[in-house]
Amino acid sequence: MRIDDAEIRTDLATLCETIGERLAGSEREHQAAKYVAARMRQAGLQEVRLERFPCTNLHRRSADVQEPVATGKGWREVEALPMVGSASTPRKQSVEGDLVWLTLPEAQHRLKPGSLRGKILAIFGPMPTSGSAHRQLLAASPAAVVHIDERFPFGYVKADGAYPYWVSHYGMPPIVSVAYMDAWRWRQTEVKRLRVRIDVGYRRAQSCNAIGELPGTDPSLPAIILTSHLDTLPGNVGADDNASGVASVLALTRAFGATRPRRTLRFIAFGAEEQLSVGAVNHVRYGGITPANTGLILNFDSTASILGHYILWTAGDARLAHHAQKTFARHGVDTQVQHEITPFADCFAFNRAGIPSLWCRRMNFSGGRWQHHSRHDTLENISIPDLARLLPAAAALVGDLANRHRWPFRTTLSPAQHQLARGISRALLGW
Ligand SMILES: [Zn+2]
């Protein structure tokens, strides 16, 4: 299958350079959706459409974190990004307070109602992962929270977002992310106080999914859906996360555009993934997606890092991963397999409905991708030739499965996996 580097380059340049940052519900995200729909039509897809759904748009954001200078005279600013979903500090003014350190999750039990009033809380570790832990954090009433993500020991800040369901149901304190190495220096120099100012504005907005399909010759067979996402977090153009995935799906529309597969192939670029797959959840929940009509999701999210391991992240039975791994290897692409239900990708919405998925990604350090959700997620950090080598393998897998009546693996999640997906969905999405 021929994959044209120049076409991929065009898609990436349009998304990252012409359009740029693509926040959920923003005009630029919408522009990206329209571009993708136009490219789908060009490739010969049918029923190309934009599926609209409500989301929250972060339309105003600024944050400052200041540390005292060593001489005791004045303050110095450090790089900070407000967490998407964060509250503003009162009257959008700076709050100053004693710095209190908390390591999570082990010290969660130290959060007592009112215990952090007037303090700046520095959290080292993951943010609370259960609704009850999150409510404990709120009840402790810190003046502001500074989050240090232990997975990313870097000198620059990574953007992050809170679960929208928690934001709307429980609320959020003012939270900023800072660079790990800034927090490290605060420990070295025994910084005792910080100043934090957060000014964020949200509005209800519309996001959309760009969808197109190639109707199968046998509509009674469950479809294969190839997915990616259009949006980015604040402060980056999302070259790897996820212009690379959108470009992957578009390359596959061109590869299959002139074919007539036995099973329907649907191609989607979702909106608002970074808000925990709002577009994918909307599509599955209200679009009548069930295992009876959908057999497999092949998700492309972050596929083009210039250095890395290809990971086939699967939800489904072990034979699915094995089959995909073998097919990729036959086409010169060696992959690692990981079996896990994760809520942090669009395929999760389909897992929630009992549908298996395979997420194709490329990781460049054991914690993930160093450049993601930061100003470093740029075109120079992704490789078009590598992407062009990956896609024929994916096309071979899809082409084979699309023309088979039976698959050499289960076409639904096991009851245990499905139950797990439903539990995660209830806790994090309220669905
Ligand atoms: Zn992503």
Side-chain angles (χ1 to χ4, degrees):
M1 180 112 2
R2 216 179 90 73
I3 297 289
D4 187 338
D5 288 30
E7 296 278 5
I8 295 178
R9 199 174 303 278
T10 300
D11 290 336
L12 290 170
T14 304
L15 291 167
C16 300
E17 286 171 350
T18 314
I19 300 175
E21 180 191 87
R22 305 174 295 283
L23 286 185
S26 67
E27 181 49 42
R28 285 170 189 231
E29 189 204 37
H30 192 67
Q31 222 180 311
K34 283 191 293 192
Y35 171 75
V36 168
R39 292 290 269 170
M40 286 176 168
R41 275 187 209 99
Q42 252 175 35
L45 299 198
Q46 299 178 26
E47 294 181 52
V48 175
R49 59 201 184 269
L50 297 184
E51 180 179 75
R52 286 165 209 281
F53 58 89
C55 75
T56 301
N57 171 241
L58 173 69
H59 68 94
R60 194 179 71 243
R61 72 203 198 233
S62 66
D64 315 308
V65 171
Q66 294 185 330
E67 62 180 32
V69 290
T71 55
K73 291 196 191 101
W75 296 79
R76 170 173 54 213
E77 202 166 304
V78 299
E79 188 185 354
L81 282 169
M83 190 173 284
V84 178
S86 164
S88 297
T89 45
R91 297 176 307 284
K92 307 176 176 90
Q93 302 288 306
S94 176
V95 292
E96 183 182 327
D98 288 341
L99 185 56
V100 177
W101 293 86
L102 190 75
T103 52
L104 290 186
E106 66 278 16
Q108 178 80 41
H109 65 99
R110 305 211 174 269
L111 291 169
K112 296 285 185 304
S115 62
L116 294 171
R117 201 154 278 139
K119 315 268 193 219
I120 307 288
L121 173 66
I123 291 179
F124 180 69
M127 292 297 293
T129 50
S130 74
S132 62
H134 174 68
R135 289 200 300 275
Q136 257 177 286
L137 169 62
L138 280 169
S141 298
V145 178
V146 173
H147 182 224
I148 300 114
D149 194 325
E150 67 190 358
R151 295 171 299 173
F152 308 120
F154 308 131
Y156 53 88
V157 186
K158 280 193 168 236
D160 204 352
Y163 305 127
Y165 173 62
W166 290 10
V167 174
S168 62
H169 273 70
Y170 310 129
M172 274 287 151
I175 308 185
V176 280
S177 302
V178 294
Y180 185 106
M181 292 315 293
D182 282 327
W184 190 272
R185 196 185 58 258
W186 296 341
R187 299 296 294 185
Q188 285 179 327
T189 58
E190 298 178 27
V191 164
K192 298 276 191 302
R193 287 172 78 77
L194 285 180
R195 283 179 174 172
V196 177
R197 186 191 63 85
I198 303 174
D199 177 6
V200 281
Y202 304 96
R203 60 184 165 208
R204 292 304 286 165
Q206 293 244 303
S207 176
C208 59
N209 303 325
I211 306 176
E213 50 193 73
L214 288 172
T217 54
D218 185 350
S220 71
L221 290 175
I224 300 174
I225 310 187
L226 288 79
T227 61
S228 60
H229 72 86
L230 297 161
D231 61 312
T232 66
L233 276 167
N236 73 95
V237 301
D240 191 39
D241 183 16
N242 187 28
S244 71
V246 174
S248 301
V249 167
L250 287 177
L252 293 170
T253 66
R254 293 186 291 270
F256 288 103
T259 67
R260 196 73 210 279
R262 189 166 177 184
R263 292 173 190 257
T264 294
L265 291 181
R266 188 173 307 133
F267 302 83
I268 310 182
F270 287 116
E273 186 270 351
E274 300 290 1
Q275 299 186 351
L276 215 59
S277 303
V278 179
V281 166
N282 187 82
H283 182 75
V284 175
R285 193 171 181 180
Y286 306 112
I289 302 294
T290 68
N293 56 37
T294 306
L296 180 68
I297 306 308
L298 190 52
N299 186 41
F300 294 87
D301 191 343
S302 310
T303 52
S305 171
I306 49 177
L307 177 66
H309 299 284
Y310 285 117
I311 314 284
L312 297 175
W313 188 295
T314 57
D317 77 14
R319 288 171 301 167
L320 162 60
H322 182 67
H323 178 78
Q325 194 176 34
K326 259 186 5 207
T327 307
F328 274 62
R330 260 204 311 277
H331 290 83
V333 178
D334 298 318
T335 58
Q336 295 180 16
V337 158
Q338 196 155 349
H339 283 282
E340 201 179 318
I341 303 270
T342 172
F344 303 113
D346 283 322
C347 31
F348 178 73
F350 296 87
N351 300 154
R352 164 67 178 74
I355 298 163
S357 62
L358 207 143
W359 169 14
C360 185
R361 64 199 308 218
R362 187 157 156 95
M363 312 270 273
N364 54 40
F365 85 110
S366 57
R369 276 75 34 122
W370 66 269
Q371 77 278 29
H372 268 206
H373 299 176
S374 83
R375 53 186 155 82
H376 298 292
D377 191 4
T378 54
L379 288 176
E380 71 241 32
N381 290 324
I382 64 175
S383 162
I384 292 172
D386 279 318
L387 189 54
R389 271 190 291 278
L390 168 72
L391 293 172
L397 177 71
V398 171
D400 174 54
L401 293 178
N403 288 304
R404 278 209 215 186
H405 185 75
R406 266 179 213 291
W407 287 345
F409 47 83
R410 278 178 71 113
T411 56
T412 55
L413 295 190
S414 70
Q417 286 176 316
H418 193 189
Q419 197 185 352
L420 176 63
R422 293 167 78 111
I424 297 171
S425 173
R426 253 193 312 278
L428 301 187
L429 302 169
W431 173 36

